[in-house]
Every structure is written in C-alpha cells, then in structure tokens.
Amino acid sequence: MATTPMPPAAKSVDPPARSILLDVPFLRLWAGTTASGLATWALPFVLGLAVLHRDLSAAGLGLVLAARTVGFLAAVTVGGVLADRHSRRAVVLWSALAAAVAAPLLAAGLGRSLLLMTAAAALAGAGQGACRPAFQALTAETVDPGRRQQANAAMTMAVRGSTLAGPALTALLAAFLDVWTLLLGIGLLWLVAALVPGTGQGAAPAVDAAAGPAPRARFRTEFLEGVREARRHPWFLAGLAALVAVIALGYSATSVALPLISRDRYDSEWVLAAAMTAYIVGALGGALLIARWRPRSQGWAAFAGLAAYGFAPLSLMLPVPPGVVVAAYAVAGIGIELFNVPWFTATQREVAPDRLARVSSLDFLVSYGLAPVGLALIAPAIDAFGVTPVLGVCAAACFLVPAAAALVPTARHFARTAPEARADTP
C-alpha cells in the first residue's frame, strides 16, 4: 500500500510544459524575426508602387531586385561564418542595421539615381542574408531543446504571416503615405529587428577563456568546416537535395505556369490570387499542426510533407475545376511546413553548436541560390516542350526525389541516433 501514491509523485516531477509564447526572450526574438519578415516582403511591393508612380522603370525594378538577391546570396555564407565566430546577437544587430541604413538610401535614390538604389538594394539583401543563419542559431541559444519544435513553428508562422500581411498592410498604408515614407517605414522595421531580440541563454560558440583568444582560421577554412559538419549528417544532405528539387523545379515551375494557366485556362486572375493565398494559409495551418504533433518517424513524415508540393504542378497539368487547383496549393502549403519545422529543429539539435550557423547558411545558400536558376530555365523549357510535359517532369521530381531522400540512412528520424535516446522527444 505504501507504493500506491508513487505514480502521482513521479508524474509531478515533470512540470507542465510552458508555452513558448510565454517566454519573454523568445518573444523578443520572435518580434525581431517578424519585423525582418515584414520588411523583406514589403520591399518588392513598395518598389512596385514606385513603378506605378513612374519613379522607377520596370527595368530598374528588375535590376534593383536582382541586386538584392545577389546581396543576399553573397552575405548568407559570410553571415554563417561570422555567427559561429562571434556573438550571434551581434551579427543580428549589425546585419539588421545595415538593412535599416539601406532603406533611406533607397528613398534618396528614388527617381534620382538608379545606381544608388541598386547599391542600396544590394546592402539590404546583404543585411537580410547575414541575418538568416544568425537568427537560426540564436533560436537554438534562446530556446531549450524540448521546446524548439514549437519555437520553430512560431517562427515559420511569423514568416508566413509576414508573406500574407506584408503586402496587404503596405497596400493599406499606401492609401495614406507616399513611397518615400513607406521606404523609411521599412527601415524602422529593420531597426526593430536589430534592437529588440535579446542575447541567447544557451550555449554559444565555445571559447576557452583560460587559453586566451585563439588565432582565427581563414574564412575559407571555417566555411569548409561547416561543409564537413554538414557531410557528417546524411539526412541533411538528402534533405538539401530534396529541397533543391522541389524549389528549383516544383516551385519555379508553378511560379511561371500558374499565371499562364490562370489566364489561358480559367480566363481569370482570381485563380492566381486564390491559389497563392491558399498556399500561405495552408502553410500557417501546417505550422500550427507540427507545433504539437510529434510523428514517430519524423524524417519520413517530413519528406512526405515536402513531396506533397507535387500536387501543385499536378493540378496545373489537368483540366480540373479551379477549386481543385486552390485545394492543391493549400495541401502544398501544409506539406512544406510539415517539412520545414522538423528540418530546422533537427538541424539545431544534431549539428555541433559552434558550426550551426555555417550549416544553416549552406541550407539558405543552396535553397535560395538555385531558385533563380530554376526560374530562368522553366520559361524556355515551357516554350520548347509545352507546359504540360514540363509540369509533369516537375511534379514527378517533387514526388520522387523526397521519396528517394527518405531512404538515406539516418533520414527516418532526422538523427544519427534512435529517437528514444533523445531527451527532447516526448
């Protein structure tokens, strides 16, 4: 009888899980990430308004946005090395401040100097690119392992919410403010991203204080250390290959084909708008789901979610009612976050903490870097072979490459060890 009270006592050892949304350090980080997301997604819309107001030509818009992409790709690798070499919080601060400075420079060049706008856009992209791996590593420092999946879901909801709300909020403000003022507002958002996040509480890159400051390796050496760390994790390389296939083929194909199909098959722009909105709403739903769901084979479930993007190009191939296209995009949105959140969480858990930012920068570099290549090649391929065969190949790649990636050793759990050996799995 003395053992009867023991089960309640044992259960009381584990305190109730506190919601990540009640954690003030995380909320500060979340607010900074949200501000940077709003600024990122608002800028192309504001520059589009500048074209409408004849302050910027269409060709100038393309040049400025291309410069921002180049700045992003150039800085994301550098940012990863710096975030592992120095304080992640400091990298977020200075990179976001660089993007904040770029906003008034864009405003100063508006209608006056395309060269100044191009340079400012490159600076804005560099600030954005350097922020990304630092924010990713700072999340791991700020949040304990058991709540990182919930934290990453909240982060991705901020990104998707910014995608949805950024242009809409900017359009609302444009009714009252001119383009110059809106650009300054984007600079203020980057100031929030720079100043609001706090210092991480977890393990930062290790420094031996007794030994004094160690001589720094060259940039190339430290970058290659990140590459070697990534190669230690077969599931990471497999996931990166699957991401490249889905982004460079699936996402690029649908980005080009959806406007054409909306116009030619359905004779309506609303299919384009509804499908893209459904994708974002689906992604928000997927983030909400994965914040609580812990599938037994997390890697396989994530790859299945990534493969679900194949329904988007598949729906564009077939003469289906427009509602089917919208539903397919919603499924694709749900699936992409069923992949993203476990992917980020596993990277934070499995990668050596002092190399996390560099490995994260490889993720962003490969994913974002090959997307423009896909966009550039899809349109000529559609002209040469027709939209249906191209979409068929892209849909097949979206289904088959993640399925093949799931067969790679360690891919089942996104881990080198069995799930029962990890303390952060409930």
Side-chain angles (χ1 to χ4, degrees):
M1 296 301 294
T3 59
T4 303
M6 290 305 293
K11 191 174 288 187
S12 65
V13 172
D14 295 326
R18 188 186 182 202
S19 171
I20 195 67
L21 298 179
L22 299 177
D23 189 286
V24 174
F26 172 74
L27 283 178
R28 292 178 62 182
L29 181 62
W30 183 87
T33 303
T34 302
S36 69
L38 285 170
T40 297
W41 289 103
L43 183 58
F45 190 87
V46 172
L47 294 176
L49 292 177
V51 174
L52 293 178
H53 296 167
R54 301 185 185 280
D55 293 322
L56 183 66
S57 67
L61 173 63
L63 181 62
V64 169
L65 292 179
R68 187 177 73 148
T69 301
V70 170
F72 177 93
L73 295 175
V76 70
T77 302
V78 177
V81 172
L82 292 178
D84 281 340
R85 178 183 289 185
H86 305 290
S87 161
R88 278 82 185 257
R89 178 66 187 89
V91 174
V92 168
L93 172 66
W94 291 109
S95 55
L97 285 177
V101 168
L105 293 177
L106 282 167
L110 190 64
R112 298 182 182 89
S113 171
L114 181 59
L115 179 61
L116 177 59
M117 291 192 72
T118 302
L123 179 61
Q128 178 194 345
C131 267
R132 293 301 294 270
F135 268 128
Q136 183 78 355
L138 195 56
T139 301
E141 288 186 14
T142 303
V143 181
D144 57 272
R147 295 189 298 168
R148 284 180 189 160
Q149 184 152 322
Q150 191 180 32
N152 285 316
M155 286 292 195
T156 199
M157 287 176 65
V159 173
R160 298 301 180 183
S162 300
T163 307
L164 191 61
L169 181 60
T170 305
L172 178 62
L173 293 175
F176 307 98
L177 304 172
D178 58 20
V179 173
W180 194 86
T181 305
L182 290 173
L183 287 171
L184 294 183
I186 289 174
L188 290 177
L189 286 172
W190 277 113
L191 280 178
V192 171
L195 301 177
V196 169
T199 303
Q201 302 300 313
V207 176
D208 188 350
R216 288 292 182 189
R218 292 185 300 174
F219 174 88
R220 180 176 178 273
T221 300
E222 294 198 357
F223 175 74
L224 290 177
E225 284 179 357
V227 175
R228 284 192 291 271
E229 174 64 25
R231 291 174 60 186
R232 288 183 56 244
H233 306 279
W235 62 267
F236 182 85
L237 298 180
L240 209 54
L243 270 175
V244 168
V246 170
I247 292 175
L249 294 177
Y251 184 79
S252 298
T254 53
S255 297
V256 174
L258 179 59
L260 298 176
I261 297 227
S262 181
R263 180 196 66 193
D264 298 338
R265 182 186 299 167
Y266 301 108
D267 194 25
S268 172
E269 295 178 355
W270 82 264
V271 176
L272 169 62
M276 296 309 298
T277 302
Y279 178 78
I280 298 170
V281 172
L284 288 170
L288 281 172
L289 174 62
I290 201 61
R292 295 292 182 183
W293 182 40
R294 300 295 190 275
R296 188 175 298 274
S297 299
Q298 192 172 68
W300 284 359
F303 280 124
L306 185 62
Y309 194 91
F311 289 112
L314 186 64
S315 71
L316 297 179
M317 287 177 57
L318 307 172
V320 296
V324 175
V325 176
V326 174
Y329 269 79
V331 170
I334 293 171
I336 204 71
E337 294 309 335
L338 294 184
F339 175 85
N340 279 341
V341 174
W343 171 257
F344 292 143
T345 305
T347 303
Q348 293 161 352
R349 181 187 65 238
E350 297 293 319
V351 171
D354 62 332
R355 299 179 183 181
L356 175 57
R358 279 171 283 178
V359 174
S360 296
S361 72
L362 286 174
D363 180 7
F364 295 125
L365 179 65
V366 174
S367 301
Y368 284 87
L370 292 179
V373 177
L375 287 169
L377 296 179
I378 289 297
I382 289 176
D383 290 338
F385 304 106
V387 66
T388 300
V390 171
L391 288 173
V393 170
C394 292
C398 289
F399 289 129
L400 296 177
V401 177
L407 301 178
V408 170
T410 73
R412 179 174 181 176
H413 302 293
F414 277 173
R416 296 168 64 89
T417 58
E420 56 268 16
R422 300 197 305 268
D424 61 332
T425 300

